[in-house]
């Protein structure tokens, strides 16, 4: 074994191998401890003084290699060496120095990860690269990052070390990361296999101990985070005086509403936030924020795009302020893009053009100019704002990686379809002190379907000229309000602060508060759309449930737990997590756990956590691959080299990898009484259901969905009582999407789901609800 240490004093790496020493029968000269998705630790004991070597200092660079050149450890000394009394000699007391070194993770951990928006719909390799770039992209090489698999949703933990976030991400993808000799690598767990067979003499039985750590499970219940449930449309009627309207339910609240907040306070464009595509140097930071001095003259070639995509769920508000655009400008500002950044892919944005000597902005929706064009005044600053609303809050489903008897499997992932409502508005900042003036609406419309996520390019400059002070992307909640006057077309009500030109705000006590000049008028109908919060939970069982055990033994083994990571944001996520867990928890091979000790494994192939050991040993019944969790390497500085490897292994059920579980079930969760045997046994939710009109006697509804064969739409006065054999609370069943509900009281509640002709019928998973607060006389 060779140990070199660079004390960063200009002398370069010094060979400290001869100073290594060990206490007989106690401490080894070198102990290296590797953990799955954890920083590597190295403990060295040496007598520096006797060999004329200076004591290593903090921040020293440590490299440990085997005699065959294999890198066993590379890292740093985070603290000073520790003197340990070793005895006396003729000159007095002697001390040995104990060094505790950390792998290169330590260097990346010195800066906490900043708070950012969740990462969505990208591969694990891409996400690791993004998080590493946000800390410091120059510290490690990243050409060893494999894609591994697509992650639906990963929320970085702000102000936590880099290694904690990378470990959580790697675990979620059932992958292993490591930092060694300046290289950051990521690969699927088990991609490197070490064969150990009793038939060819490479397996030492005396060095192996193994056991089944857990019993087989075929019935799993998992809980997750709070999820949005009913799609509520709550109806009110204005009287010209009332400004407070009490909502019957508490709308789902967003914990972290700010997705992006950029005021350009750094001297250059922040490449940990933005992808800068600007070969001509037309975009820069100035005292006025983002300075734009032109573009390459071609659509999509000069762009500033946020690294993090935006999940188009609930209400999303895109805003730019202190916008000054000069004559000659051409491009798009505040654009959401479904694919690559160009005008044809622009889902929503402000198209900027020059007409004569005037600069004009016009809404851009799905690549087309719509709504009202607005001519900017020279010397004025503006706020441009786009409000986007989807009835679906979770657009990207999470992915759950599992390894069962049939190999690696991914459950979940994918996107939830949803229509979008769009509202474009503009405010002249010169008029902001006069808040009653409000904002100018340029477009109020919708698109029938949308991607679950979109890229946000704050500018797509064909030839943009001017300055923009800031950009914000927020997700304030799930509310969306549409007003229908007694005479006139419906229009969208804006939620927010009065100085933002908004009409109303939602108070914490559940009241909808309208500002004085936006008071709903007599006969004006308010349709308030929102989602209701509820715990997420799912219970699933294998189709072979009841076939385990003998006479008098239980016929099923259950597990109940809570999913900590990957985040389960809905019952669908919980269902996919249940499937992933069942995939391996019902397999006895997944419960193997044990330890294997051997010498000089590095002479064949060094073993790292995340590798697989193939114990081909029918004699002991362990004829399976097992996953390495920790590796401990001990050296006594003998010659020839002898390295003692202690390898601890465990498969997915003995110690879960891709899921972090706890038994702390939220007390408000009602656990299902019976398990589902198959996932996704539901019809689509009616997330586009619309109340066309309401009178004193009827509600006219359009489900905006195609009825299933021999099925239709079922309306009840209470939720969770759906079923063709249950007549209680049944209001009506309609075979067509347009139907009428008869009213009998001012305040009523109706719940609607789709059903098919199966026996028994299959229903939507979640109800759409209509709450009325409108007089019947």
């Amino acid at each position: 074994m060779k140990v070199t240490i660079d004390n960063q004093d200009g002398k370069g790496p010094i060979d400290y191998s001869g100073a290594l020493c060990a206490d007989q029968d106690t401490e080894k000269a070198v102990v290296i401890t590797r953990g799955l998705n954890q920083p590597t630790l190295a403990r060295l004991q040496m007598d520096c003084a006797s060999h004329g070597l200076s004591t290593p200092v903090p921040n020293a660079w440590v490299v440990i290699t085997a005699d065959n050149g294999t890198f066993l450890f590379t890292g740093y000394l985070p603290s000073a060496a520790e003197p340990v009394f070793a005895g006396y000699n003729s000159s007095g007391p002697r001390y040995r120095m104990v060094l505790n070194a950390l792998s290169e993770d330590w260097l990346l951990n010195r800066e906490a990860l900043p708070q950012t928006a969740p990462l969505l719909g990208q591969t694990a390799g891409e996400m690791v690269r993004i998080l590493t770039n946000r800390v410091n992209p120059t510290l490690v090489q990243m050409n060893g990052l494999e894609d591994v698999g697509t992650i639906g949703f990963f929320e970085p933990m702000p102000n936590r070390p880099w290694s904690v976030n990378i470990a959580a991400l790697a675990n979620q993808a059932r992958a292993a990361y490591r930092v060694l000799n300046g290289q950051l690598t990521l690969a699927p767990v088990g991609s490197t296999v070490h064969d150990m067979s009793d038939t060819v003499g490479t397996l030492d039985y005396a060095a192996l101990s193994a056991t089944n750590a857990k019993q087989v499970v075929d019935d799993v219940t998992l809980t997750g985070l709070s999820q949005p449930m009913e799609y509520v449309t709550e109806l009110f009627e204005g009287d010209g005086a009332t400004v407070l309207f009490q909502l019957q339910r508490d709308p789902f609240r967003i914990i972290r509403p700010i997705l992006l907040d950029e005021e350009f306070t750094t001297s250059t464009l922040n490449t940990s936030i933005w992808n800068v595509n600007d070969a001509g140097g037309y975009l820069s930071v100035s005292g006025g924020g983002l300075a734009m001095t032109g573009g390459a003259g071609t659509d999509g070639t000069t762009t500033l795009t946020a690294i993090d995509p935006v999940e188009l769920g609930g209400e999303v508000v895109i805003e730019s302020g202190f916008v000054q655009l000069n004559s000659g400008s051409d491009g798009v500002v505040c654009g959401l893009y479904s694919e690559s950044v160009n005008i044809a892919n622009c889902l929503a944005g402000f198209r900027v053009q020059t007409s004569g000597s005037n600069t004009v902005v016009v809404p851009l929706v799905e690549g087309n100019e719509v709504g009202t064009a607005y001519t900017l005044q020279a010397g004025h600053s503006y706020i441009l704002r786009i409000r986007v609303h989807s009835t679906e809050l979770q657009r990207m489903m999470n992915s759950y990686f599992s390894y069962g008897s049939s190999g690696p499997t991914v459950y979940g992932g994918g996107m939830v379809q949803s229509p979008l409502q769009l509202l474009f508005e503009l405010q002249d900042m010169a008029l902001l002190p006069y808040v009653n003036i409000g904002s100018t609406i340029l477009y109020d419309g919708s698109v029938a379907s949308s991607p679950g996520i979109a890229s946000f390019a704050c500018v797509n400059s064909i030839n943009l000229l001017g300055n923009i002070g800031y950009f914000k992307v927020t997700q304030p909640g799930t509310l969306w309000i549409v007003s229908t006057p007694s005479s006139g077309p419906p229009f969208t009500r804006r939620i927010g602060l009065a100085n933002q030109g908004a009409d109303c705000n939602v108070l914490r006590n559940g009241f909808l508060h309208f500002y004085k000049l936006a008071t709903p008028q007599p006969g004006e109908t308010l349709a308030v759309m929102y989602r209701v919060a509820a715990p997420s939970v799912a219970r699933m069982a294998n189709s072979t449930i009841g076939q385990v055990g003998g006479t008098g033994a239980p016929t099923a083994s259950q597990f109940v737990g809570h999913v900590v990571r990957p985040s389960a944001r809905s019952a669908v996520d919980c269902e996919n997590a249940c499937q992933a867990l069942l995939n391996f928890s019902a397999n006895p091979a997944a419960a193997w756990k044990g330890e294997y000790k051997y010498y000089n494994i590095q002479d064949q192939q060094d073993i790292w956590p995340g590798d697989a050991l193939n114990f081909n040993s029918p004699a002991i019944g362990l004829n399976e691959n097992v996953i390495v969790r920790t590796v401990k390497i001990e050296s006594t500085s003998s010659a020839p080299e002898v390295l003692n490897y202690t390898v601890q292994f465990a498969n997915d059920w003995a110690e879960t990898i891709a899921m972090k579980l706890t038994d702390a079930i939220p007390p408000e969760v009602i656990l299902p009484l019976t398990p589902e045997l198959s996932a996704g046994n539901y019809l689509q939710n009616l997330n586009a259901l619309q109340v066309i009109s309401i009178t004193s006697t009827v509600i006219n509804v359009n489900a905006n969905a195609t009825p299933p064969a021999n099925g239709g739409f079922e309306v009840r006065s209470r939720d969770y009582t759906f079923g063709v054999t249950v007549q209680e609370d049944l209001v009506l069943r309609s075979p067509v999407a347009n139907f009428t509900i008869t009213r009998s009281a001012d305040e009523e509640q109706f719940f609607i789901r789709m059903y098919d002709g199966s026996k028994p019928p299959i229903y939507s998973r979640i109800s759409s609800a209509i709450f009325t607060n409108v007089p019947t006389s």
Side-chain angles (χ1 to χ4, degrees):
M1 175 178 284
K2 182 178 181 180
V3 176
T4 63
I5 300 177
D6 186 345
N7 288 303
Q8 314 290 350
D9 54 3
K11 297 179 181 179
I14 305 296
D15 190 346
Y16 276 74
S17 305
L20 292 173
C21 56
D23 293 331
Q24 188 175 3
D25 299 327
T26 56
E27 296 290 341
K28 304 297 183 181
V30 178
V31 178
I32 301 172
T33 305
R34 304 165 174 171
L36 178 59
N37 295 325
Q38 295 176 6
T40 300
L41 309 177
R43 188 178 189 276
L44 302 92
Q45 188 170 241
M46 56 181 58
D47 184 352
C48 298
S50 298
H51 293 78
L53 296 171
S54 59
T55 300
V57 298
N59 298 333
W61 167 249
V62 180
V63 177
I64 305 175
T65 57
D67 287 350
N68 64 2
T70 299
F71 282 97
L72 302 176
F73 173 88
T74 58
Y76 295 87
L77 294 179
S79 58
E82 175 189 352
V84 176
F85 179 68
Y88 293 91
N89 66 6
S90 58
S91 60
R94 302 292 296 176
Y95 289 86
R96 291 172 176 169
M97 308 306 296
V98 174
L99 311 180
N100 291 293
L102 281 172
S103 57
E104 294 162 73
D105 308 51
W106 172 76
L107 202 60
L108 289 157
N109 282 343
R110 295 177 72 174
E111 295 182 36
L113 199 71
Q115 183 164 338
T116 61
L119 302 177
L120 303 158
Q122 296 160 301
T123 67
E126 289 173 325
M127 290 183 176
V128 168
R129 187 182 304 275
I130 288 170
L131 296 182
T132 305
N133 284 336
R134 284 188 174 143
V135 173
N136 192 324
T138 66
L139 296 179
V140 290
Q141 298 293 318
M142 291 183 278
N143 50 13
L145 296 176
E146 297 185 30
D147 288 339
V148 180
T150 299
I151 303 294
F153 178 92
F154 178 79
E155 187 167 18
M157 295 168 278
N159 300 320
R160 298 296 303 278
W162 172 89
S163 62
V164 172
N165 280 278
I166 299 302
L169 180 53
N171 286 335
Q172 181 167 333
R174 200 176 181 273
Y177 91 87
R178 122 185 23 149
V179 189
L180 182 69
N181 196 29
Q183 291 285 340
L184 170 61
T185 60
L186 181 78
V189 162
S191 56
T192 299
V193 180
H194 305 272
D195 289 314
M196 297 182 177
S197 172
D198 55 8
T199 61
V200 293
T202 58
L203 176 61
D204 183 356
Y205 284 106
L208 175 65
S209 59
T211 185
N212 279 108
K214 291 182 180 178
Q215 65 180 354
V216 170
V217 166
D218 53 14
D219 184 347
V220 171
T221 302
L222 293 176
T223 64
L225 301 174
S226 178
Q227 68 174 336
M229 286 296 286
E230 292 91 351
Y231 303 84
V232 175
T233 300
E234 188 159 359
L235 303 171
F236 298 92
E237 185 175 278
D239 58 10
T242 301
V243 296
L244 289 174
F245 297 86
Q246 176 72 64
L247 298 175
Q248 294 189 30
R249 299 287 183 87
D250 187 23
F252 190 97
R253 299 185 184 277
I254 306 297
I255 297 176
R256 296 186 184 93
I258 299 176
L259 303 180
L260 184 147
D261 189 357
E262 173 65 288
E263 297 183 355
F264 301 101
T265 56
T266 56
S267 59
T268 59
L269 294 171
N270 189 343
T271 54
S272 69
I273 298 175
W274 303 104
N275 282 322
V276 183
N277 182 18
D278 181 23
Y282 300 106
L283 307 177
S284 63
V285 176
S286 70
L290 176 67
M292 303 168 293
T293 57
T298 307
D299 177 23
T301 57
T302 304
T303 61
L304 189 61
T305 308
I307 292 174
D308 296 332
V310 178
E311 187 172 24
L312 301 178
E315 183 186 6
V316 177
V317 180
I318 313 291
E319 179 178 300
S320 60
F322 295 98
V323 178
Q324 289 186 328
L325 296 168
N326 303 325
S327 180
S329 288
D330 188 4
V332 179
V333 174
C334 286
L336 292 171
Y337 295 85
S338 56
E339 297 179 29
S340 58
V341 177
N342 58 60
I343 290 174
N345 292 330
C346 186
L347 181 66
F350 285 95
R351 181 74 169 95
V352 182
Q353 300 173 84
T354 297
S355 177
S357 61
N358 296 322
T359 303
V360 178
V361 296
V362 61
L364 191 66
V365 174
E366 295 187 305
N368 300 307
E369 296 180 13
V370 297
T372 303
Y374 188 95
T375 301
L376 304 181
Q377 299 297 310
H380 285 216
S381 295
Y382 295 88
I383 294 175
L384 305 179
R385 189 179 297 116
I386 305 173
R387 300 177 188 268
V388 183
H389 177 256
S390 166
T391 53
E392 296 291 349
L393 186 63
Q394 183 185 16
R395 300 298 306 279
M396 297 300 298
M397 310 310 297
N398 224 334
S399 307
Y400 294 86
F401 292 74
S402 177
Y403 191 94
S405 57
S406 58
T409 308
V410 181
Y411 296 90
M415 181 185 69
V416 179
Q417 292 292 331
S418 173
L420 286 184
Q421 283 75 44
L422 298 170
L423 184 73
F424 289 72
E425 56 184 313
L426 176 147
Q427 283 180 279
D428 189 335
M429 297 186 74
L431 306 176
L432 275 182
Y434 309 99
V435 295
N436 292 338
I437 292 177
S439 59
T440 301
I441 303 300
L442 302 183
Y443 178 74
D444 188 352
S446 63
V447 296
S449 183
S450 68
I453 58 176
S455 298
F456 171 61
C458 63
V459 295
N460 172 13
S461 178
I462 299 172
N463 186 48
L464 291 174
L465 304 168
N467 294 276
I468 300 178
Y470 68 84
F471 290 93
K472 288 184 179 179
V473 181
T474 58
Q475 192 178 30
T478 62
L479 270 85
W480 191 260
I481 305 172
V482 175
S483 277
T484 304
S486 56
S487 60
F491 64 95
T492 301
R493 291 285 200 166
R494 291 154 291 175
I495 304 170
L497 302 176
N499 61 5
Q500 296 176 323
D503 300 307
C504 60
N505 205 353
V506 181
L507 306 180
R508 282 287 178 180
N509 58 6
F511 278 95
L512 187 62
H513 173 230
F514 280 83
Y515 304 122
K516 185 175 180 181
L517 293 184
T519 303
Q521 296 304 298
E524 180 179 340
T525 301
L526 300 173
V528 184
M529 289 162 278
Y530 59 91
R531 300 291 298 274
V532 176
S536 59
V537 61
R539 181 180 178 185
M540 296 198 67
N542 284 329
S543 58
T544 57
I545 186 172
Q547 299 179 18
V548 179
T551 304
T555 58
S557 178
Q558 297 185 15
F559 175 83
V560 180
H562 178 76
V563 183
V564 179
R565 280 187 178 271
S567 300
R569 299 190 289 164
S570 64
V572 178
D573 278 349
C574 291
E575 200 171 79
N576 289 322
C578 284
Q579 290 186 92
L581 192 59
L582 283 171
N583 185 44
F584 56 75
S585 65
N587 179 12
W592 279 109
K593 181 178 183 179
E595 183 178 271
Y596 187 64
K597 293 183 178 181
Y598 209 63
Y599 293 93
N600 288 353
I601 295 177
Q602 79 281 357
D603 288 340
Q604 288 79 43
Q605 187 178 17
D606 195 18
I607 291 180
W608 281 85
D611 292 352
L613 304 181
N614 179 22
F615 288 118
N616 183 13
S617 178
I620 60 174
L622 183 58
N623 199 16
E624 302 285 345
N625 283 7
V626 294
I627 302 302
V628 176
R629 300 308 181 96
T630 64
V631 177
K632 187 176 182 180
I633 306 173
E634 297 175 299
S635 171
T636 57
S637 299
S638 61
E641 180 179 64
V642 176
L643 299 183
N644 181 17
Y645 278 71
T646 301
V647 179
Q648 292 183 333
F649 57 85
N651 277 348
D652 292 54
W653 184 221
E655 293 180 14
T656 56
I657 301 176
M659 279 191 286
K660 182 179 180 182
L661 304 172
T662 177
D663 57 3
I665 304 298
E668 67 275 11
V669 178
I670 300 175
L671 300 179
L673 296 177
T674 57
E676 298 287 341
L677 298 181
S678 60
N681 196 28
Y682 297 94
L683 299 181
Q684 72 180 70
N685 296 321
L686 301 175
N687 61 6
L689 183 139
Q690 182 181 9
V691 175
I692 302 301
S693 63
I694 182 171
T695 70
S696 60
T697 57
V698 297
I699 305 171
N700 294 307
V701 177
N702 183 357
N704 282 315
T706 302
N710 301 315
F713 307 91
E714 188 170 300
V715 182
R716 291 185 174 271
S717 59
R718 287 197 304 173
D719 206 355
Y720 306 113
T721 60
F722 287 86
V724 294
T725 61
V726 182
Q727 297 304 309
E728 182 185 7
D729 304 319
L730 177 65
V731 176
L732 63 89
R733 293 191 181 97
S734 172
V736 296
N738 290 280
F739 53 89
T740 299
I741 302 173
T742 302
R743 299 188 60 201
S744 60
D746 295 355
E747 296 186 4
E748 292 180 293
Q749 294 185 356
F750 301 100
F751 300 89
I752 305 104
R753 298 193 191 192
M754 187 156 60
Y755 69 96
D756 67 5
S758 303
K759 297 185 183 301
I762 300 173
Y763 282 83
S764 305
R765 184 189 292 269
I766 300 174
S767 295
S768 292
I770 300 173
F771 299 163
T772 66
N773 305 273
V774 178
T776 54
S777 61

